[in-house]
Amino acid sequence: MDIPSVRLENGFELPLVGLGTSQLMGRPGSAAVATAIRSGYRLVDTATRYSNELSVGHGIRASGVDRSEVVIQTKLAGGDQGFDEAINAATQSARRLGVDHLDVYLIHWPNPSLGQTVESWKALLTLADEGFIKVAGVSNFTQGQLQSLYDETGRWPALNQIQCSPALARTQLREFMAEKGIHAQAWHPSGRKESVPGDTTVIKLARKYGKSPTQIALRWSVQQGISVIPKSAHSGRQVENADLFDFALTDDDLAELAQLDRGERAARDSGVYEEY
Ligand SMILES: NC(=O)c1ccc[n+]([C@@H]2O[C@H](COP(=O)([O-])OP(=O)(O)OC[C@H]3O[C@@H](n4cnc5c(N)ncnc54)[C@H](OP(=O)(O)O)[C@@H]3O)[C@@H](O)[C@H]2O)c1
């Protein structure tokens, strides 16, 4: 399986499909990570908050694929925000993953009530300048929150990981991000919680292309240059979720899928919602 990449603003090549690992724990979690890498995945998304960095690191090593070929992406937990705290947290994440540097490091949620977002962002920029991380990014940031990082430091995140699927198209936010050179990466890209795979239009398109409804949802993202990190514990579904590059949705298909969008209000409001 050969998964295409997208080039970020700083030249970093990011695979368009990676493995999400939320809830992949312990030995079964490690085995799922190893299986995905053996089948061709070259990006693994984890987070301190998932409490599985040890298992993910073990799975990467167990895959037999050289660490240098795998993009390792993890996230700063809410409770670790702050300049010194974030530097320390990145070091601890790398230690748990068993690596000497991280590839992509993201602020998991802005958590505005802490008032530490900008200090955390400065820490990520320092880590990037020192080469400890290759890509400094964020997750779940709104347009205003992205703008304030730039206003305070003169530097945009390379990537913003956001909830995104045909049901949560995030069009305005993505337009702003594209203008600023911020790559969009989709979490919960299957839209399962919003019933995307059960939607009649999605099922119709799945039949039309001989694909599964999940593949239609994921293709909607990657066709627009949005990378996806679907999670599956099952090898067959992992392969299915990366098998997206032998068909293309037409403009008419995309117009039909646009009807599924529930609008920005259906997304969690990062101005209020916080995670630790
Ligand atoms: N930044 C953030 O705040 C944030 C928030 C949430 C998630 N994430 C990241 O994004 C990743 C993906 O999000 P997610 O796990 O919420 O959603 P998802 O990947 O869209 O969906 C995962 C669910 O769908 C099932 N599934 C996957 N592929 C399938 C297929 N081809 N057919 C049928 N069922 C399938 C999985 O079950 P099986 O395992 O049984 O296949 C699992 O229950 C997470 O793992 C995590 O790494 C980030």
Side-chain angles (χ1 to χ4, degrees), residues 109-131:
W109 284 88
N111 289 4
S113 76
L114 290 173
Q116 291 296 325
T117 326
V118 172
E119 284 307 300
S120 304
W121 177 235
K122 286 180 181 166
L124 266 63
L125 292 175
T126 301
L127 290 165
D129 292 343
E130 290 172 351

Side-chain angles (χ1 to χ4, degrees), residues 152-224:
E152 296 288 337
T153 63
R155 287 164 73 180
W156 296 106
L159 181 160
N160 187 17
Q161 186 187 104
I162 51 175
Q163 187 175 8
C164 189
S165 75
L168 280 169
R170 317 299 298 268
T171 312
Q172 269 189 315
L173 176 59
R174 286 194 293 110
E175 274 170 12
F176 174 79
M177 286 163 52
E179 238 173 63
K180 308 301 180 194
I182 304 169
H183 173 71
Q185 186 177 66
W187 67 258
H188 199 56
S190 69
R192 195 155 258 103
K193 285 181 189 148
E194 292 78 30
S195 310
V196 169
D199 178 84
T200 48
T201 300
V202 175
I203 291 170
K204 184 186 78 180
L205 293 175
R207 291 207 180 106
K208 174 177 168 186
Y209 293 106
K211 293 284 176 182
S212 71
T214 301
Q215 287 172 312
I216 298 298
L218 299 175
R219 176 72 204 181
W220 174 90
S221 283
V222 296
Q223 190 165 318
Q224 300 181 80

Side-chain angles (χ1 to χ4, degrees), residues 20-22 45 50 75 108-109 139-140 161 187-193 214 229-234 237 240-241:
T21 66
S22 163
D45 176 78
Y50 305 160
K75 312 185 195 81
H108 203 148
W109 284 88
S139 180
N140 300 302
Q161 186 187 104
W187 67 258
H188 199 56
S190 69
R192 195 155 258 103
K193 285 181 189 148
T214 301
I229 45 165
K231 172 261 168 185
S232 181
H234 304 283
R237 287 179 183 169
E240 176 186 325
N241 293 346

